[in-house]
Amino acid sequence: MLPEPFLNRMKEMLDGEYEDFLASYEKEEIHSLRLNLLKTDQQEFAHKCNWKLDPVPWSGEGFYYEGEERPGRHPYHEAGVYYIQEASAMAVAPRLEAKPGEKILDLCAAPGGKSSQIASFMKGRGLLVCNEVHPARARVLSENIERMGIRNALVISHEPWELERSFKGYFDKILVDAPCSGEGMFRKNESAVLEWSAENVAMCAKRQAKILESAARMLKGGGRLVYSTCTFEREENEETIDSFLKRHPEFEQEKVLRLWPHKVKGEGHFLAALYKNEGEEDRALCRREEKGLPTREYRQWSEFCAQYLKCDFDGVYVKFGDQLYLAPQALPALKGLKVLRPGLHLGTIRKDRFEPSHALALALKPQEVKKHFHLTPEEAGRYLKGQTFSAEGEKGWYLITVDGYSLGWGKLSGTIMKNHYPKGLRK
Ligand code: SAM
């Protein structure tokens, strides 16, 4: 049952379209996924996979699929080949026009759908800061960044205002995919219906204004800010943007877009792209002192690279205890930040050897390693459960792949390929 005051607001807003809007709640559930361009492309995927996919009109890498396909259960999902994402949500990240080499902040990032889409446009170059205030949701975000094989992301967990001091005028682009009253989730999520109230809409609008203030302070002059919600309320959308523009004459509105569930095949979204005029100074306090971080090569890591890898890594080495990470060159100072992931996790430095991490496997392609071991989807299903395989070859680390997509590590000893898929992720 949809809340009566919500229906009255929609009737008033939509006028002659109201009946069509109401009828959209009777339609069948829509399923969609977005290919991860860091790992595949449309052509390659169509060649490898025979699912019936229909393109999402506003996203080159988005597709509708039939409910019975269950892509969430296929090993491709664990390989990060796609992200299951609501179709209208795919319209937002392209508006940032993210480019390799830029410094980009996704301020309300969990679980990471839009972050991973931004990352695919950045092609592993530049700095993507993914922030999520709630610690448990930040952990899910961090796992998704790993699964999608993203190399250049820093994952942190802060209230937006806590970041202002460090990052004043720092970012080229910022996405605020704001917490909202979630009216676009009503078809999928019963709790969004139960939580709805006019008071909650007003509370969300207030919170959105506050988050936007922080974003405005962290954006460079000449930078772009994209604001989005999955709700239909003017108070949380056009009115939030209008009052922001009144408070901030240095911003101009470039584009406002609404996707309505009765007009497109999707649950609905609002987005506004804003441009900040030149003139703001970059006064970020987060400059990293080169000497503060170890940049020397670690012997165990260098030996691992020489023995197993065929690719070079660009970035800054960061060590947390015995864990080695490779962060983007543009990494800010981490002091005072609650960091979940300071870049690509390479692995663990043991006394006499290097143990590669699961994140490294997911970020590598078979052509970037010296040894790989291919599995069919059926075999991959067993690998994900922890099964070992018999194999022949030189002993040592092998990148395990499914149809050419990396899935994890195996270590050959004798004729047994030991399974190094993380125990906590096993199916
Ligand atoms: N961008 C995400 C994606 O595409 O997967 C979805 C983000 S969701 C719409 C909004 C997020 O904002 C939630 O993860 C929520 O925990 C977070 N949030 C809640 N309160 C917040 C606050 N006061 N400041 C910043 N973020 C907040």
Side-chain angles (χ1 to χ4, degrees):
M1 252 310 251
L2 295 172
E4 199 61 39
F6 161 70
L7 292 175
N8 291 338
R9 284 164 177 238
M10 292 302 110
K11 199 172 199 169
E12 198 182 313
M13 196 190 316
L14 288 164
D15 202 17
E17 292 175 26
Y18 177 68
E19 293 304 323
D20 291 346
F21 172 76
L22 261 195
S24 73
Y25 285 90
E26 305 306 320
K27 285 190 200 157
E28 266 184 33
E29 203 183 330
I30 303 163
H31 305 279
S32 48
L33 58 79
R34 184 178 43 75
L35 295 182
N36 179 4
L37 297 182
L38 295 174
K39 302 211 172 205
T40 193
D41 58 34
Q42 294 82 336
Q43 231 183 337
E44 185 194 71
F45 191 73
H47 184 68
K48 290 185 179 181
C49 184
N50 60 5
W51 297 339
K52 187 178 168 317
L53 298 174
D54 280 329
V56 172
W58 49 89
S59 163
E61 66 275 22
F63 294 91
Y64 300 105
Y65 62 87
E66 308 280 332
E68 64 269 19
E69 301 290 10
R70 307 230 174 247
R73 294 191 187 166
H74 195 283
Y76 287 175
H77 182 264
E78 298 338 293
V81 180
Y82 44 70
Y83 190 99
I84 295 175
Q85 188 175 30
E86 193 280 306
S88 43
M90 297 175 197
V92 176
R95 298 283 166 185
L96 265 189
E97 297 181 13
K99 300 201 175 47
E102 289 181 329
K103 288 192 283 222
I104 300 188
L105 170 65
D106 186 355
L107 193 48
C108 312
K114 296 181 184 82
S115 282
S116 70
Q117 198 175 3
I118 297 168
S120 73
F121 299 134
M122 296 177 82
K123 302 188 166 113
R125 300 200 295 280
L127 172 72
L128 175 60
V129 177
C130 307
N131 178 63
E132 166 58 44
V133 63
H134 291 299
R137 289 179 61 82
R139 282 195 290 278
V140 175
L141 167 67
S142 186
E143 282 168 18
N144 279 328
I145 294 292
E146 173 171 298
R147 183 171 64 84
M148 302 307 275
I150 298 167
R151 294 183 181 199
N152 59 327
L154 166 65
V155 182
I156 55 176
S157 181
H158 281 275
E159 289 276 359
W161 60 265
E162 292 174 332
L163 300 173
E164 289 175 24
R165 217 172 99 81
S166 299
F167 293 106
K168 200 168 168 50
Y170 183 73
F171 292 102
D172 298 303
K173 291 173 181 168
I174 299 181
L175 173 62
V176 174
D177 186 32
C180 66
S181 56
E183 292 165 356
M185 302 297 283
F186 280 4
R187 276 158 48 103
K188 287 195 163 191
N189 187 347
E190 178 85 15
S191 67
V193 180
L194 299 174
E195 279 165 26
W196 192 92
S197 69
E199 293 72 35
N200 190 41
V201 169
M203 188 280 282
C204 288
K206 227 169 136 183
R207 183 167 64 187
Q208 289 149 358
K210 192 164 177 230
I211 296 172
L212 276 173
E213 285 307 309
S214 299
R217 291 182 191 125
M218 292 189 273
L219 190 67
K220 261 186 198 156
R224 176 172 288 125
L225 171 61
V226 171
Y227 172 82
S228 61
T229 73
C230 63
T231 206
F232 306 125
E233 298 292 331
R234 277 194 209 288
E235 201 177 335
E236 296 182 59
N237 294 326
E238 288 87 350
E239 289 175 21
T240 293
I241 292 302
D242 289 348
S243 54
F244 174 80
L245 289 170
K246 280 199 188 104
R247 294 193 304 277
H248 290 277
E250 74 279 20
F251 277 84
E252 279 169 40
Q253 187 168 292
E254 283 184 338
K255 176 100 192 159
V256 172
L257 187 69
R258 265 189 187 260
L259 290 109
W260 284 101
H262 59 289
K263 290 190 170 167
V264 301
K265 200 172 162 191
E267 303 297 321
H269 235 78
F270 170 86
L271 73 89
L274 310 177
Y275 173 78
K276 187 176 185 181
N277 286 305
E278 301 286 347
E280 271 292 304
E281 233 181 285
D282 173 355
R283 280 187 277 145
L285 295 177
C286 60
R287 300 278 165 253
R288 175 171 51 86
E289 287 202 21
E290 206 59 51
K291 68 176 167 48
L293 290 168
T295 47
R296 74 186 163 85
E297 306 228 326
Y298 291 91
R299 179 178 56 80
Q300 294 91 324
W301 164 242
S302 306
E303 282 170 11
F304 178 85
C305 288
Q307 197 174 350
Y308 295 109
L309 303 184
K310 289 200 281 187
C311 56
D312 288 328
F313 285 96
D314 181 33
V316 200
Y317 290 104
V318 182
K319 210 173 147 226
F320 280 169
D322 56 2
Q323 301 303 309
L324 187 65
Y325 290 82
L326 188 77
Q329 274 301 349
L331 184 77
L334 300 178
K335 193 161 176 265
L337 290 180
K338 288 180 242 165
V339 178
L340 283 90
R341 189 177 289 271
L344 175 63
H345 185 203
L346 297 172
T348 311
I349 300 186
R350 304 275 182 221
K351 201 158 169 252
D352 53 350
R353 67 197 150 86
F354 185 81
E355 239 168 61
S357 76
H358 185 55
L360 177 61
L362 289 169
L364 288 168
K365 297 204 163 75
Q367 60 270 27
E368 294 177 308
V369 296
K370 293 189 180 158
K371 295 178 212 166
H372 43 76
F373 187 70
H374 289 304
L375 300 177
T376 63
E378 290 69 32
E379 290 167 333
R382 299 204 293 277
Y383 170 76
L384 296 175
K385 288 192 169 87
Q387 190 183 302
T388 55
F389 291 86
S390 37
E392 280 177 10
E394 238 179 280
K395 67 174 187 171
W397 293 103
Y398 283 70
L399 186 70
I400 307 290
T401 62
V402 52
D403 290 346
Y405 298 122
S406 58
L407 201 53
W409 293 108
K411 198 171 185 187
L412 188 61
S413 168
T415 56
I416 299 292
M417 183 68 78
K418 286 195 189 147
N419 191 316
H420 281 259
Y421 193 70
K423 290 208 168 63
L425 296 179
R426 287 184 188 175
K427 300 274 153 197

